[in-house]
Short mmCIF file of all heavy atoms in Angstrom, two decimals:
data_model
loop_
_atom_site.label_atom_id
_atom_site.label_comp_id
_atom_site.label_asym_id
_atom_site.label_seq_id
_atom_site.Cartn_x
_atom_site.Cartn_y
_atom_site.Cartn_z
N ILE H 364 -0.27 -11.50 3.81
CA ILE H 364 -0.33 -11.35 5.28
C ILE H 364 0.95 -10.72 5.80
O ILE H 364 0.90 -9.81 6.64
CB ILE H 364 -0.60 -12.71 5.94
CG1 ILE H 364 -2.00 -13.20 5.58
CG2 ILE H 364 -0.43 -12.62 7.46
CD1 ILE H 364 -2.30 -14.59 6.08
N THR H 365 2.08 -11.19 5.33
CA THR H 365 3.37 -10.67 5.85
C THR H 365 3.65 -9.25 5.37
O THR H 365 4.52 -8.59 5.92
CB THR H 365 4.53 -11.58 5.42
OG1 THR H 365 4.51 -11.76 4.00
CG2 THR H 365 4.44 -12.93 6.10
N SER H 366 2.93 -8.78 4.35
CA SER H 366 3.13 -7.40 3.91
C SER H 366 2.39 -6.40 4.79
O SER H 366 2.66 -5.20 4.72
CB SER H 366 2.67 -7.23 2.45
OG SER H 366 1.27 -7.36 2.36
N LEU H 367 1.47 -6.89 5.63
CA LEU H 367 0.78 -6.00 6.56
C LEU H 367 1.76 -5.48 7.60
O LEU H 367 2.51 -6.27 8.18
CB LEU H 367 -0.38 -6.74 7.25
CG LEU H 367 -1.50 -7.25 6.34
CD1 LEU H 367 -2.48 -8.08 7.15
CD2 LEU H 367 -2.21 -6.09 5.68
N PRO H 368 1.80 -4.17 7.85
CA PRO H 368 2.76 -3.62 8.81
C PRO H 368 2.68 -4.26 10.19
O PRO H 368 3.70 -4.45 10.83
CB PRO H 368 2.39 -2.14 8.86
CG PRO H 368 1.76 -1.86 7.54
CD PRO H 368 1.02 -3.12 7.18
N SER H 369 1.47 -4.59 10.65
CA SER H 369 1.34 -5.19 11.97
C SER H 369 2.02 -6.55 12.05
O SER H 369 2.47 -6.96 13.12
CB SER H 369 -0.15 -5.33 12.33
OG SER H 369 -0.83 -6.09 11.34
N VAL H 370 2.12 -7.25 10.90
CA VAL H 370 2.81 -8.54 10.86
C VAL H 370 4.29 -8.36 10.57
O VAL H 370 5.14 -8.98 11.22
CB VAL H 370 2.17 -9.47 9.81
CG1 VAL H 370 2.91 -10.79 9.72
CG2 VAL H 370 0.70 -9.70 10.13
N SER H 371 4.60 -7.49 9.61
CA SER H 371 6.01 -7.29 9.24
C SER H 371 6.81 -6.70 10.39
O SER H 371 8.03 -6.92 10.49
CB SER H 371 6.10 -6.38 8.01
OG SER H 371 5.54 -5.11 8.27
N ASN H 372 6.15 -5.94 11.28
CA ASN H 372 6.86 -5.38 12.43
C ASN H 372 7.27 -6.46 13.43
O ASN H 372 8.12 -6.23 14.29
CB ASN H 372 5.98 -4.34 13.14
CG ASN H 372 5.83 -3.08 12.33
OD1 ASN H 372 6.64 -2.79 11.44
ND2 ASN H 372 4.80 -2.29 12.62
N ALA H 373 6.63 -7.65 13.34
CA ALA H 373 6.92 -8.72 14.29
C ALA H 373 8.04 -9.63 13.82
O ALA H 373 8.42 -10.55 14.53
CB ALA H 373 5.65 -9.55 14.54
N VAL H 374 8.56 -9.41 12.62
CA VAL H 374 9.67 -10.22 12.10
C VAL H 374 10.85 -9.32 11.82
O VAL H 374 10.72 -8.12 11.63
CB VAL H 374 9.25 -10.97 10.82
CG1 VAL H 374 8.11 -11.93 11.09
CG2 VAL H 374 8.85 -9.99 9.72
N ASN H 375 12.05 -9.92 11.84
CA ASN H 375 13.23 -9.12 11.53
C ASN H 375 13.39 -9.00 10.02
O ASN H 375 12.66 -9.61 9.23
CB ASN H 375 14.50 -9.72 12.17
CG ASN H 375 14.77 -11.15 11.69
OD1 ASN H 375 14.58 -11.47 10.52
ND2 ASN H 375 15.21 -12.01 12.60
N TRP H 376 14.39 -8.19 9.63
CA TRP H 376 14.55 -7.89 8.20
C TRP H 376 14.88 -9.13 7.38
O TRP H 376 14.37 -9.31 6.28
CB TRP H 376 15.65 -6.84 8.03
CG TRP H 376 16.05 -6.62 6.61
CD1 TRP H 376 17.26 -6.88 6.05
CD2 TRP H 376 15.22 -6.12 5.53
NE1 TRP H 376 17.25 -6.57 4.70
CE2 TRP H 376 16.02 -6.11 4.36
CE3 TRP H 376 13.91 -5.69 5.47
CZ2 TRP H 376 15.53 -5.67 3.15
CZ3 TRP H 376 13.42 -5.27 4.24
CH2 TRP H 376 14.23 -5.25 3.11
N ARG H 377 15.70 -10.02 7.95
CA ARG H 377 16.08 -11.22 7.19
C ARG H 377 14.88 -12.12 6.97
O ARG H 377 14.71 -12.68 5.87
CB ARG H 377 17.17 -11.99 7.96
CG ARG H 377 17.72 -13.18 7.19
CD ARG H 377 18.87 -13.84 7.92
NE ARG H 377 19.42 -14.94 7.16
CZ ARG H 377 20.41 -15.72 7.58
NH1 ARG H 377 20.95 -15.49 8.77
NH2 ARG H 377 20.85 -16.71 6.83
N GLU H 378 14.02 -12.27 7.98
CA GLU H 378 12.82 -13.09 7.83
C GLU H 378 11.86 -12.47 6.82
O GLU H 378 11.27 -13.17 5.99
CB GLU H 378 12.13 -13.23 9.20
CG GLU H 378 12.96 -14.02 10.20
CD GLU H 378 12.42 -13.90 11.61
OE1 GLU H 378 11.63 -12.96 11.87
OE2 GLU H 378 12.80 -14.73 12.46
N PHE H 379 11.69 -11.15 6.91
CA PHE H 379 10.80 -10.47 5.97
C PHE H 379 11.30 -10.60 4.54
O PHE H 379 10.52 -10.87 3.62
CB PHE H 379 10.70 -8.99 6.36
CG PHE H 379 9.82 -8.18 5.45
CD1 PHE H 379 8.44 -8.24 5.56
CD2 PHE H 379 10.37 -7.37 4.47
CE1 PHE H 379 7.62 -7.49 4.71
CE2 PHE H 379 9.57 -6.62 3.62
CZ PHE H 379 8.18 -6.69 3.74
N ARG H 380 12.62 -10.44 4.36
CA ARG H 380 13.18 -10.55 3.01
C ARG H 380 13.06 -11.97 2.48
O ARG H 380 12.81 -12.17 1.28
CB ARG H 380 14.65 -10.12 3.04
CG ARG H 380 15.29 -10.08 1.67
CD ARG H 380 16.71 -9.59 1.74
NE ARG H 380 17.32 -9.57 0.43
CZ ARG H 380 18.59 -9.24 0.20
NH1 ARG H 380 19.38 -8.89 1.22
NH2 ARG H 380 19.08 -9.24 -1.03
N PHE H 381 13.22 -12.96 3.37
CA PHE H 381 13.08 -14.36 2.94
C PHE H 381 11.67 -14.63 2.41
O PHE H 381 11.50 -15.24 1.35
CB PHE H 381 13.38 -15.30 4.11
CG PHE H 381 13.08 -16.74 3.81
CD1 PHE H 381 13.98 -17.52 3.07
CD2 PHE H 381 11.91 -17.34 4.26
CE1 PHE H 381 13.70 -18.85 2.77
CE2 PHE H 381 11.61 -18.66 3.97
CZ PHE H 381 12.51 -19.42 3.24
N VAL H 382 10.68 -14.14 3.15
CA VAL H 382 9.29 -14.38 2.73
C VAL H 382 8.97 -13.64 1.44
O VAL H 382 8.45 -14.22 0.48
CB VAL H 382 8.31 -13.96 3.86
CG1 VAL H 382 6.87 -14.03 3.36
CG2 VAL H 382 8.50 -14.84 5.08
N GLN H 383 9.31 -12.34 1.41
CA GLN H 383 8.92 -11.51 0.27
C GLN H 383 9.75 -11.81 -0.98
O GLN H 383 9.27 -11.62 -2.10
CB GLN H 383 9.04 -10.03 0.64
CG GLN H 383 8.06 -9.58 1.69
CD GLN H 383 6.61 -9.66 1.21
OE1 GLN H 383 6.30 -9.38 0.06
NE2 GLN H 383 5.71 -10.06 2.09
N SER H 384 11.01 -12.24 -0.79
CA SER H 384 11.86 -12.49 -1.96
C SER H 384 11.86 -13.96 -2.35
O SER H 384 11.40 -14.34 -3.41
CB SER H 384 13.29 -12.02 -1.68
OG SER H 384 14.12 -12.25 -2.79
N LYS H 385 12.36 -14.82 -1.46
CA LYS H 385 12.49 -16.23 -1.79
C LYS H 385 11.12 -16.87 -2.00
O LYS H 385 10.87 -17.50 -3.05
CB LYS H 385 13.24 -16.96 -0.66
CG LYS H 385 14.63 -16.44 -0.38
CD LYS H 385 15.56 -16.64 -1.56
CE LYS H 385 17.01 -16.32 -1.19
NZ LYS H 385 17.22 -14.92 -0.77
N LEU H 386 10.22 -16.74 -1.02
CA LEU H 386 8.89 -17.32 -1.18
C LEU H 386 8.10 -16.59 -2.27
O LEU H 386 7.22 -17.18 -2.90
CB LEU H 386 8.14 -17.27 0.14
CG LEU H 386 8.69 -18.15 1.27
CD1 LEU H 386 7.76 -18.13 2.47
CD2 LEU H 386 8.88 -19.59 0.79
N GLY H 387 8.40 -15.31 -2.47
CA GLY H 387 7.74 -14.56 -3.52
C GLY H 387 8.05 -15.13 -4.90
O GLY H 387 7.13 -15.32 -5.72
N TYR H 388 9.30 -15.41 -5.15
CA TYR H 388 9.67 -16.02 -6.42
C TYR H 388 9.12 -17.43 -6.55
O TYR H 388 8.74 -17.88 -7.65
CB TYR H 388 11.19 -16.02 -6.59
CG TYR H 388 11.70 -14.74 -7.21
CD1 TYR H 388 12.36 -13.80 -6.44
CD2 TYR H 388 11.53 -14.47 -8.56
CE1 TYR H 388 12.83 -12.62 -6.99
CE2 TYR H 388 12.00 -13.30 -9.14
CZ TYR H 388 12.64 -12.38 -8.34
OH TYR H 388 13.11 -11.21 -8.90
N LEU H 389 9.06 -18.16 -5.42
CA LEU H 389 8.48 -19.50 -5.46
C LEU H 389 6.99 -19.40 -5.82
O LEU H 389 6.47 -20.22 -6.60
CB LEU H 389 8.65 -20.19 -4.11
CG LEU H 389 8.05 -21.59 -3.98
CD1 LEU H 389 8.64 -22.52 -5.04
CD2 LEU H 389 8.27 -22.15 -2.58
N THR H 390 6.31 -18.40 -5.29
CA THR H 390 4.91 -18.18 -5.63
C THR H 390 4.76 -17.89 -7.12
O THR H 390 3.86 -18.43 -7.79
CB THR H 390 4.34 -16.99 -4.82
OG1 THR H 390 4.52 -17.23 -3.43
CG2 THR H 390 2.86 -16.79 -5.12
N LEU H 391 5.65 -17.06 -7.65
CA LEU H 391 5.60 -16.73 -9.07
C LEU H 391 5.84 -17.97 -9.92
O LEU H 391 5.18 -18.18 -10.95
CB LEU H 391 6.63 -15.65 -9.39
CG LEU H 391 6.67 -15.13 -10.83
CD1 LEU H 391 5.32 -14.54 -11.23
CD2 LEU H 391 7.77 -14.09 -10.99
N ILE H 392 6.76 -18.83 -9.48
CA ILE H 392 7.05 -20.07 -10.22
C ILE H 392 5.82 -20.99 -10.22
O ILE H 392 5.43 -21.53 -11.27
CB ILE H 392 8.27 -20.78 -9.61
CG1 ILE H 392 9.54 -19.97 -9.87
CG2 ILE H 392 8.42 -22.19 -10.18
CD1 ILE H 392 10.77 -20.51 -9.15
N LEU H 393 5.21 -21.16 -9.05
CA LEU H 393 4.06 -22.06 -8.95
C LEU H 393 2.88 -21.54 -9.76
O LEU H 393 2.20 -22.32 -10.45
CB LEU H 393 3.64 -22.20 -7.48
CG LEU H 393 4.61 -23.00 -6.57
CD1 LEU H 393 4.15 -22.93 -5.13
CD2 LEU H 393 4.69 -24.45 -7.03
N CYS H 394 2.63 -20.24 -9.68
CA CYS H 394 1.49 -19.68 -10.45
C CYS H 394 1.74 -19.72 -11.95
O CYS H 394 0.81 -19.95 -12.73
CB CYS H 394 1.23 -18.23 -9.99
SG CYS H 394 0.63 -18.11 -8.29
N THR H 395 2.99 -19.53 -12.35
CA THR H 395 3.34 -19.64 -13.77
C THR H 395 3.19 -21.08 -14.24
O THR H 395 2.64 -21.34 -15.33
CB THR H 395 4.77 -19.15 -14.02
OG1 THR H 395 4.90 -17.81 -13.54
CG2 THR H 395 5.11 -19.19 -15.49
N ALA H 396 3.65 -22.02 -13.42
CA ALA H 396 3.50 -23.45 -13.76
C ALA H 396 2.03 -23.83 -13.81
O ALA H 396 1.62 -24.64 -14.66
CB ALA H 396 4.25 -24.30 -12.74
N HIS H 397 1.24 -23.28 -12.91
CA HIS H 397 -0.21 -23.51 -12.90
C HIS H 397 -0.83 -23.12 -14.24
O HIS H 397 -1.66 -23.84 -14.79
CB HIS H 397 -0.82 -22.70 -11.75
CG HIS H 397 -2.32 -22.67 -11.74
ND1 HIS H 397 -3.10 -23.76 -11.45
CD2 HIS H 397 -3.19 -21.65 -11.98
CE1 HIS H 397 -4.38 -23.42 -11.49
NE2 HIS H 397 -4.46 -22.15 -11.82
#
Side-chain angles (χ1 to χ4, degrees):
I364 293 174
T365 54
S366 68
L367 297 174
S369 56
V370 177
S371 61
N372 289 339
V374 298
N375 59 39
W376 171 244
R377 186 175 182 182
E378 294 167 342
F379 179 78
R380 185 177 180 184
F381 172 80
V382 173
Q383 294 295 322
S384 180
K385 301 296 189 299
L386 293 186
Y388 273 105
L389 179 58
T390 304
L391 183 59
I392 291 172
L393 290 174
C394 293
T395 303
H397 171 69

